[in-house]
Amino acid sequence: MPIRAVRGATQLDVDEREHLLDRVAELVKEVLHSNDLDTEDLISAIFTATPDIHSEFPAYAARLMGMSDVPLICAQELDIAGAMPRVIRLMAHVDTDLPRDRITHVYLHGAAALRRDLTHVHAVPD
């Protein structure tokens, strides 16, 4: 089965732990649902957070969802002047038969404005 990468992002309203955990769980669930995947299809996932996020590791939300055997890592985004604040990004590597051009990338809340250039995007603004 081919390995594909699925992208996604969400924006937090505030940098608070429970809010972060809820938004990241929502993002992971929507990435899986939009691409007809389950957690067994996940190979690994990289989460990044803008430098203004301090309340929790985004990958912890995936651990709380039961992804204890999926390799996960967190990193910090570049601190670019004028960049959208409080954004968590996800790149998940998955086993799927979907061709690359049929992968649905997911952008939620304020992050829906980030990737208008992609052709197959599920964007849900606030």
Side-chain angles (χ1 to χ4, degrees), residues 85-116:
R86 300 177 316 281
V87 173
I88 295 173
R89 291 172 172 86
L90 164 67
M91 182 165 29
H93 304 96
V94 299
D95 283 323
T96 180
D97 286 326
L98 288 174
R100 189 179 307 190
D101 65 349
R102 300 302 305 158
I103 295 292
T104 300
H105 306 283
V106 176
Y107 292 84
L108 304 176
H109 306 288
L114 289 174
R115 293 307 303 261
R116 298 181 191 274

Side-chain angles (χ1 to χ4, degrees), residues 15-34:
D15 181 26
E16 293 177 356
R17 185 175 188 270
E18 291 304 315
H19 181 61
L20 179 147
L21 294 173
D22 289 345
R23 287 278 170 103
V24 174
E26 175 189 32
L27 175 63
V28 172
K29 288 175 188 174
E30 193 57 44
V31 162
L32 294 174
H33 174 75
S34 294

